[in-house]
Amino acid sequence: MGVPLFDTSTPLAGLREELRAALNSVMESGRFILGPEVSAFESEFAAYCGVEHAIGVANGTEAITIALRAMGVGPGDEVVVPSFTFYASAEAIPPTGATPVFCDVDPHTYCVTADTVRAALTPRTKAVIAVHLFGNIAPVSEIEALGVPVLEDAAQSAGSLADEGLRPGALGTAATFSFFPSKNLGCFGDGGMITTRDERIAERVRTLRFHGSHDKVTYEMLGYNSRLDELQAALLRVQLPHLDTWADGRRRAGSHYEEAGLGELLTLPRPTDGAAPAWHLYVVSHPQVERLEQTLAGAGIGHKAYYRTPVHQQVPMRQWAPQGELPGTEHAARTHLAIPMSPVLTREQADEVVAAVCSALG
Ligand SMILES: Cc1ncc(COP(=O)(O)O)c(C=O)c1O
């Protein structure tokens, strides 16, 4: 039969009418930028995360640049970031004037740890970007205990739960989200969000996303034209009430794989302490991953190695590559593979994936 790597359309099937009505309503309203839909979605998303402020921006990459600047990061500063992540986590740092300093990850959780961050700290460290990779939750409070502010890159972790039921977005000094269409909460184009409890940071974010201005007449700082638009906000408002159901579906899909015995064939992703990840990508690892890739391709089973080349080895980042090795990063880069994951992945589909894995590695 084959199993797709992800399925973004089935979860939305029952919402088509509501989505069309939301689109029509914005079209009729004539308000397209920073209107009532964005304000309402910001309030609803802030309440969902359990924070005071949520500010919509154009995408998850600019969200990181803007959040870092609002946290006071600038020229001469260093920002610690994992090398095993999507490129944008690091790409967003140099536009602030600061320098990325790459740290390692735990190859079982794919997240940074307090130890890997500690090894990268210097007197110039101004912030740490803790990426909640694949939906797992990086240990934010342990990192903050090192005495550095944390920006959560929560692009892949909407719907996940941390210790004590806290949500990503409420764990660090500030957090950033992406609503890229394939994300756990995706829009119909690009979109992003910054959350924070800190009123001063929120105010700076609002100014920075609006050309560094309050009124587009006088300008206080060099800013950006970076807004979530009304159409996307209206579509996201329809979806947000369903995010927890979809997150449960992702957790259930992970359980299907476990119950089907996948963990006996290869290494499964390990939730960090206290985390209940809404797996954005379900990323397994095996030393003979090429053999696995070939067999899955032959069986029509979606798979992808997202980060075979760590970020610090990408051409524009080599100037900031660390002197020492990043063994966890290199291991994860060499052996990881994303296999099918979605809120609607069934036990039968998990069985089909496991049977194909078994024929490759069993
Ligand atoms: C971990 C991570 N950070 C940042 C981003 C950037 O988000 P965007 O594509 O919305 O710019 C993404 C997703 O694309 C991501 O997965």
PDB file of all heavy atoms in Angstrom, residues 307-333:
ATOM      1  N   TYR A 307      18.792  16.068   8.219  1.00  0.00           N
ATOM      2  CA  TYR A 307      19.983  16.861   8.554  1.00  0.00           C
ATOM      3  C   TYR A 307      21.246  16.014   8.431  1.00  0.00           C
ATOM      4  O   TYR A 307      22.025  15.912   9.380  1.00  0.00           O
ATOM      5  CB  TYR A 307      19.863  17.436   9.976  1.00  0.00           C
ATOM      6  CG  TYR A 307      18.523  18.088  10.274  1.00  0.00           C
ATOM      7  CD1 TYR A 307      17.803  17.761  11.422  1.00  0.00           C
ATOM      8  CD2 TYR A 307      17.980  19.035   9.400  1.00  0.00           C
ATOM      9  CE1 TYR A 307      16.576  18.355  11.703  1.00  0.00           C
ATOM     10  CE2 TYR A 307      16.741  19.626   9.669  1.00  0.00           C
ATOM     11  CZ  TYR A 307      16.047  19.277  10.817  1.00  0.00           C
ATOM     12  OH  TYR A 307      14.833  19.853  11.086  1.00  0.00           O
ATOM     13  N   ARG A 308      21.465  15.391   7.249  1.00  0.00           N
ATOM     14  CA  ARG A 308      22.659  14.564   7.079  1.00  0.00           C
ATOM     15  C   ARG A 308      23.935  15.391   7.259  1.00  0.00           C
ATOM     16  O   ARG A 308      24.939  14.903   7.757  1.00  0.00           O
ATOM     17  CB  ARG A 308      22.611  13.951   5.678  1.00  0.00           C
ATOM     18  CG  ARG A 308      22.992  12.593   5.385  1.00  0.00           C
ATOM     19  CD  ARG A 308      22.978  11.456   6.339  1.00  0.00           C
ATOM     20  NE  ARG A 308      22.054  10.388   6.024  1.00  0.00           N
ATOM     21  CZ  ARG A 308      21.213   9.841   6.896  1.00  0.00           C
ATOM     22  NH1 ARG A 308      21.186  10.222   8.157  1.00  0.00           N
ATOM     23  NH2 ARG A 308      20.400   8.880   6.528  1.00  0.00           N
ATOM     24  N   THR A 309      23.914  16.654   6.792  1.00  0.00           N
ATOM     25  CA  THR A 309      25.069  17.543   6.991  1.00  0.00           C
ATOM     26  C   THR A 309      24.756  18.486   8.152  1.00  0.00           C
ATOM     27  O   THR A 309      23.824  19.295   8.053  1.00  0.00           O
ATOM     28  CB  THR A 309      25.354  18.374   5.729  1.00  0.00           C
ATOM     29  OG1 THR A 309      25.505  17.482   4.631  1.00  0.00           O
ATOM     30  CG2 THR A 309      26.593  19.234   5.883  1.00  0.00           C
ATOM     31  N   PRO A 310      25.492  18.391   9.258  1.00  0.00           N
ATOM     32  CA  PRO A 310      25.207  19.305  10.388  1.00  0.00           C
ATOM     33  C   PRO A 310      25.377  20.770   9.956  1.00  0.00           C
ATOM     34  O   PRO A 310      26.127  21.064   9.026  1.00  0.00           O
ATOM     35  CB  PRO A 310      26.269  18.924  11.420  1.00  0.00           C
ATOM     36  CG  PRO A 310      26.766  17.579  11.028  1.00  0.00           C
ATOM     37  CD  PRO A 310      26.599  17.478   9.537  1.00  0.00           C
ATOM     38  N   VAL A 311      24.679  21.641  10.663  1.00  0.00           N
ATOM     39  CA  VAL A 311      24.647  23.053  10.240  1.00  0.00           C
ATOM     40  C   VAL A 311      26.051  23.654  10.195  1.00  0.00           C
ATOM     41  O   VAL A 311      26.376  24.407   9.269  1.00  0.00           O
ATOM     42  CB  VAL A 311      23.737  23.876  11.178  1.00  0.00           C
ATOM     43  CG1 VAL A 311      23.742  25.341  10.771  1.00  0.00           C
ATOM     44  CG2 VAL A 311      22.319  23.330  11.161  1.00  0.00           C
ATOM     45  N   HIS A 312      26.913  23.296  11.173  1.00  0.00           N
ATOM     46  CA  HIS A 312      28.235  23.957  11.204  1.00  0.00           C
ATOM     47  C   HIS A 312      29.104  23.559  10.016  1.00  0.00           C
ATOM     48  O   HIS A 312      30.110  24.199   9.740  1.00  0.00           O
ATOM     49  CB  HIS A 312      28.967  23.677  12.530  1.00  0.00           C
ATOM     50  CG  HIS A 312      29.484  22.276  12.679  1.00  0.00           C
ATOM     51  ND1 HIS A 312      28.705  21.227  13.080  1.00  0.00           N
ATOM     52  CD2 HIS A 312      30.710  21.753  12.482  1.00  0.00           C
ATOM     53  CE1 HIS A 312      29.421  20.119  13.126  1.00  0.00           C
ATOM     54  NE2 HIS A 312      30.655  20.417  12.764  1.00  0.00           N
ATOM     55  N   GLN A 313      28.691  22.503   9.295  1.00  0.00           N
ATOM     56  CA  GLN A 313      29.461  22.107   8.105  1.00  0.00           C
ATOM     57  C   GLN A 313      28.866  22.671   6.810  1.00  0.00           C
ATOM     58  O   GLN A 313      29.405  22.455   5.729  1.00  0.00           O
ATOM     59  CB  GLN A 313      29.541  20.579   8.012  1.00  0.00           C
ATOM     60  CG  GLN A 313      30.433  19.983   9.093  1.00  0.00           C
ATOM     61  CD  GLN A 313      30.317  18.471   9.196  1.00  0.00           C
ATOM     62  OE1 GLN A 313      29.629  17.837   8.401  1.00  0.00           O
ATOM     63  NE2 GLN A 313      30.968  17.895  10.185  1.00  0.00           N
ATOM     64  N   GLN A 314      27.751  23.365   6.897  1.00  0.00           N
ATOM     65  CA  GLN A 314      27.183  24.017   5.697  1.00  0.00           C
ATOM     66  C   GLN A 314      28.064  25.213   5.339  1.00  0.00           C
ATOM     67  O   GLN A 314      28.575  25.903   6.236  1.00  0.00           O
ATOM     68  CB  GLN A 314      25.743  24.485   5.973  1.00  0.00           C
ATOM     69  CG  GLN A 314      24.792  23.364   6.380  1.00  0.00           C
ATOM     70  CD  GLN A 314      24.360  22.479   5.216  1.00  0.00           C
ATOM     71  OE1 GLN A 314      24.683  22.752   4.061  1.00  0.00           O
ATOM     72  NE2 GLN A 314      23.653  21.398   5.524  1.00  0.00           N
ATOM     73  N   VAL A 315      28.209  25.466   4.027  1.00  0.00           N
ATOM     74  CA  VAL A 315      29.219  26.442   3.568  1.00  0.00           C
ATOM     75  C   VAL A 315      29.158  27.791   4.296  1.00  0.00           C
ATOM     76  O   VAL A 315      30.173  28.248   4.823  1.00  0.00           O
ATOM     77  CB  VAL A 315      29.136  26.611   2.035  1.00  0.00           C
ATOM     78  CG1 VAL A 315      30.031  27.757   1.556  1.00  0.00           C
ATOM     79  CG2 VAL A 315      29.534  25.309   1.354  1.00  0.00           C
ATOM     80  N   PRO A 316      27.979  28.447   4.392  1.00  0.00           N
ATOM     81  CA  PRO A 316      27.997  29.782   5.016  1.00  0.00           C
ATOM     82  C   PRO A 316      28.337  29.763   6.504  1.00  0.00           C
ATOM     83  O   PRO A 316      28.663  30.802   7.078  1.00  0.00           O
ATOM     84  CB  PRO A 316      26.565  30.291   4.814  1.00  0.00           C
ATOM     85  CG  PRO A 316      25.974  29.410   3.777  1.00  0.00           C
ATOM     86  CD  PRO A 316      26.648  28.085   3.911  1.00  0.00           C
ATOM     87  N   MET A 317      28.245  28.587   7.147  1.00  0.00           N
ATOM     88  CA  MET A 317      28.456  28.498   8.603  1.00  0.00           C
ATOM     89  C   MET A 317      29.862  28.044   8.967  1.00  0.00           C
ATOM     90  O   MET A 317      30.226  28.068  10.137  1.00  0.00           O
ATOM     91  CB  MET A 317      27.436  27.519   9.225  1.00  0.00           C
ATOM     92  CG  MET A 317      26.008  27.969   9.110  1.00  0.00           C
ATOM     93  SD  MET A 317      25.682  29.403  10.176  1.00  0.00           S
ATOM     94  CE  MET A 317      24.258  30.101   9.327  1.00  0.00           C
ATOM     95  N   ARG A 318      30.632  27.594   7.954  1.00  0.00           N
ATOM     96  CA  ARG A 318      31.947  27.003   8.286  1.00  0.00           C
ATOM     97  C   ARG A 318      32.853  27.997   9.004  1.00  0.00           C
ATOM     98  O   ARG A 318      33.713  27.607   9.782  1.00  0.00           O
ATOM     99  CB  ARG A 318      32.620  26.487   7.010  1.00  0.00           C
ATOM    100  CG  ARG A 318      32.020  25.173   6.555  1.00  0.00           C
ATOM    101  CD  ARG A 318      32.798  24.588   5.406  1.00  0.00           C
ATOM    102  NE  ARG A 318      31.974  23.597   4.722  1.00  0.00           N
ATOM    103  CZ  ARG A 318      32.134  23.218   3.473  1.00  0.00           C
ATOM    104  NH1 ARG A 318      33.090  23.757   2.724  1.00  0.00           N
ATOM    105  NH2 ARG A 318      31.352  22.317   2.937  1.00  0.00           N
ATOM    106  N   GLN A 319      32.659  29.285   8.734  1.00  0.00           N
ATOM    107  CA  GLN A 319      33.481  30.306   9.395  1.00  0.00           C
ATOM    108  C   GLN A 319      33.301  30.288  10.910  1.00  0.00           C
ATOM    109  O   GLN A 319      34.147  30.788  11.636  1.00  0.00           O
ATOM    110  CB  GLN A 319      33.139  31.691   8.837  1.00  0.00           C
ATOM    111  CG  GLN A 319      31.678  32.075   9.021  1.00  0.00           C
ATOM    112  CD  GLN A 319      31.292  33.351   8.295  1.00  0.00           C
ATOM    113  OE1 GLN A 319      31.918  34.393   8.468  1.00  0.00           O
ATOM    114  NE2 GLN A 319      30.245  33.282   7.475  1.00  0.00           N
ATOM    115  N   TRP A 320      32.159  29.716  11.367  1.00  0.00           N
ATOM    116  CA  TRP A 320      31.891  29.665  12.812  1.00  0.00           C
ATOM    117  C   TRP A 320      31.968  28.233  13.358  1.00  0.00           C
ATOM    118  O   TRP A 320      31.512  27.975  14.485  1.00  0.00           O
ATOM    119  CB  TRP A 320      30.512  30.266  13.116  1.00  0.00           C
ATOM    120  CG  TRP A 320      30.429  31.719  12.756  1.00  0.00           C
ATOM    121  CD1 TRP A 320      31.174  32.744  13.262  1.00  0.00           C
ATOM    122  CD2 TRP A 320      29.554  32.310  11.781  1.00  0.00           C
ATOM    123  NE1 TRP A 320      30.819  33.939  12.681  1.00  0.00           N
ATOM    124  CE2 TRP A 320      29.820  33.701  11.770  1.00  0.00           C
ATOM    125  CE3 TRP A 320      28.565  31.816  10.929  1.00  0.00           C
ATOM    126  CZ2 TRP A 320      29.144  34.586  10.931  1.00  0.00           C
ATOM    127  CZ3 TRP A 320      27.894  32.695  10.110  1.00  0.00           C
ATOM    128  CH2 TRP A 320      28.185  34.059  10.108  1.00  0.00           C
ATOM    129  N   ALA A 321      32.518  27.308  12.556  1.00  0.00           N
ATOM    130  CA  ALA A 321      32.575  25.903  13.005  1.00  0.00           C
ATOM    131  C   ALA A 321      33.439  25.801  14.253  1.00  0.00           C
ATOM    132  O   ALA A 321      34.467  26.479  14.370  1.00  0.00           O
ATOM    133  CB  ALA A 321      33.138  25.024  11.899  1.00  0.00           C
ATOM    134  N   PRO A 322      33.032  24.957  15.205  1.00  0.00           N
ATOM    135  CA  PRO A 322      33.827  24.839  16.439  1.00  0.00           C
ATOM    136  C   PRO A 322      35.161  24.134  16.181  1.00  0.00           C
ATOM    137  O   PRO A 322      35.287  23.388  15.211  1.00  0.00           O
ATOM    138  CB  PRO A 322      32.947  23.983  17.342  1.00  0.00           C
ATOM    139  CG  PRO A 322      32.006  23.271  16.444  1.00  0.00           C
ATOM    140  CD  PRO A 322      31.854  24.088  15.191  1.00  0.00           C
ATOM    141  N   GLN A 323      36.131  24.405  17.053  1.00  0.00           N
ATOM    142  CA  GLN A 323      37.438  23.749  16.941  1.00  0.00           C
ATOM    143  C   GLN A 323      37.324  22.254  17.221  1.00  0.00           C
ATOM    144  O   GLN A 323      37.851  21.434  16.487  1.00  0.00           O
ATOM    145  CB  GLN A 323      38.425  24.335  17.978  1.00  0.00           C
ATOM    146  CG  GLN A 323      38.656  25.825  17.847  1.00  0.00           C
ATOM    147  CD  GLN A 323      39.440  26.144  16.583  1.00  0.00           C
ATOM    148  OE1 GLN A 323      40.350  25.419  16.245  1.00  0.00           O
ATOM    149  NE2 GLN A 323      39.068  27.212  15.894  1.00  0.00           N
ATOM    150  N   GLY A 324      36.593  21.936  18.301  1.00  0.00           N
ATOM    151  CA  GLY A 324      36.503  20.528  18.724  1.00  0.00           C
ATOM    152  C   GLY A 324      35.427  19.774  17.953  1.00  0.00           C
ATOM    153  O   GLY A 324      34.741  20.324  17.094  1.00  0.00           O
ATOM    154  N   GLU A 325      35.299  18.487  18.305  1.00  0.00           N
ATOM    155  CA  GLU A 325      34.301  17.633  17.663  1.00  0.00           C
ATOM    156  C   GLU A 325      32.933  17.823  18.332  1.00  0.00           C
ATOM    157  O   GLU A 325      32.858  18.243  19.494  1.00  0.00           O
ATOM    158  CB  GLU A 325      34.703  16.174  17.856  1.00  0.00           C
ATOM    159  CG  GLU A 325      36.121  15.880  17.460  1.00  0.00           C
ATOM    160  CD  GLU A 325      36.183  14.977  16.250  1.00  0.00           C
ATOM    161  OE1 GLU A 325      35.706  13.845  16.375  1.00  0.00           O
ATOM    162  OE2 GLU A 325      36.692  15.437  15.201  1.00  0.00           O
ATOM    163  N   LEU A 326      31.893  17.484  17.604  1.00  0.00           N
ATOM    164  CA  LEU A 326      30.537  17.425  18.163  1.00  0.00           C
ATOM    165  C   LEU A 326      30.044  15.990  17.949  1.00  0.00           C
ATOM    166  O   LEU A 326      29.314  15.708  16.986  1.00  0.00           O
ATOM    167  CB  LEU A 326      29.619  18.436  17.463  1.00  0.00           C
ATOM    168  CG  LEU A 326      30.014  19.915  17.554  1.00  0.00           C
ATOM    169  CD1 LEU A 326      29.047  20.796  16.764  1.00  0.00           C
ATOM    170  CD2 LEU A 326      30.073  20.380  19.019  1.00  0.00           C
ATOM    171  N   PRO A 327      30.469  15.051  18.820  1.00  0.00           N
ATOM    172  CA  PRO A 327      30.227  13.637  18.527  1.00  0.00           C
ATOM    173  C   PRO A 327      28.757  13.242  18.455  1.00  0.00           C
ATOM    174  O   PRO A 327      28.370  12.432  17.609  1.00  0.00           O
ATOM    175  CB  PRO A 327      30.940  12.904  19.675  1.00  0.00           C
ATOM    176  CG  PRO A 327      31.266  13.927  20.700  1.00  0.00           C
ATOM    177  CD  PRO A 327      31.264  15.271  20.036  1.00  0.00           C
ATOM    178  N   GLY A 328      27.926  13.831  19.340  1.00  0.00           N
ATOM    179  CA  GLY A 328      26.494  13.497  19.314  1.00  0.00           C
ATOM    180  C   GLY A 328      25.861  13.956  18.003  1.00  0.00           C
ATOM    181  O   GLY A 328      25.050  13.252  17.394  1.00  0.00           O
ATOM    182  N   THR A 329      26.259  15.142  17.573  1.00  0.00           N
ATOM    183  CA  THR A 329      25.744  15.707  16.322  1.00  0.00           C
ATOM    184  C   THR A 329      26.147  14.833  15.139  1.00  0.00           C
ATOM    185  O   THR A 329      25.333  14.512  14.268  1.00  0.00           O
ATOM    186  CB  THR A 329      26.342  17.125  16.130  1.00  0.00           C
ATOM    187  OG1 THR A 329      25.910  17.921  17.233  1.00  0.00           O
ATOM    188  CG2 THR A 329      25.930  17.758  14.820  1.00  0.00           C
ATOM    189  N   GLU A 330      27.436  14.464  15.123  1.00  0.00           N
ATOM    190  CA  GLU A 330      27.913  13.674  13.985  1.00  0.00           C
ATOM    191  C   GLU A 330      27.238  12.300  13.940  1.00  0.00           C
ATOM    192  O   GLU A 330      26.856  11.825  12.872  1.00  0.00           O
ATOM    193  CB  GLU A 330      29.440  13.572  14.023  1.00  0.00           C
ATOM    194  CG  GLU A 330      30.066  14.775  13.308  1.00  0.00           C
ATOM    195  CD  GLU A 330      31.316  15.322  13.965  1.00  0.00           C
ATOM    196  OE1 GLU A 330      32.110  14.503  14.450  1.00  0.00           O
ATOM    197  OE2 GLU A 330      31.478  16.562  14.000  1.00  0.00           O
ATOM    198  N   HIS A 331      27.039  11.699  15.123  1.00  0.00           N
ATOM    199  CA  HIS A 331      26.367  10.399  15.169  1.00  0.00           C
ATOM    200  C   HIS A 331      24.921  10.532  14.669  1.00  0.00           C
ATOM    201  O   HIS A 331      24.461   9.746  13.829  1.00  0.00           O
ATOM    202  CB  HIS A 331      26.391   9.855  16.596  1.00  0.00           C
ATOM    203  CG  HIS A 331      25.714   8.534  16.739  1.00  0.00           C
ATOM    204  ND1 HIS A 331      26.351   7.347  16.451  1.00  0.00           N
ATOM    205  CD2 HIS A 331      24.451   8.207  17.099  1.00  0.00           C
ATOM    206  CE1 HIS A 331      25.508   6.349  16.638  1.00  0.00           C
ATOM    207  NE2 HIS A 331      24.340   6.844  17.043  1.00  0.00           N
ATOM    208  N   ALA A 332      24.218  11.540  15.194  1.00  0.00           N
ATOM    209  CA  ALA A 332      22.812  11.730  14.798  1.00  0.00           C
ATOM    210  C   ALA A 332      22.718  12.012  13.298  1.00  0.00           C
ATOM    211  O   ALA A 332      21.859  11.465  12.599  1.00  0.00           O
ATOM    212  CB  ALA A 332      22.199  12.878  15.599  1.00  0.00           C
ATOM    213  N   ALA A 333      23.631  12.859  12.787  1.00  0.00           N
ATOM    214  CA  ALA A 333      23.583  13.226  11.365  1.00  0.00           C
ATOM    215  C   ALA A 333      23.766  11.990  10.482  1.00  0.00           C
ATOM    216  O   ALA A 333      23.085  11.820   9.478  1.00  0.00           O
ATOM    217  CB  ALA A 333      24.656  14.266  11.066  1.00  0.00           C
TER     218      ALA A 333
END
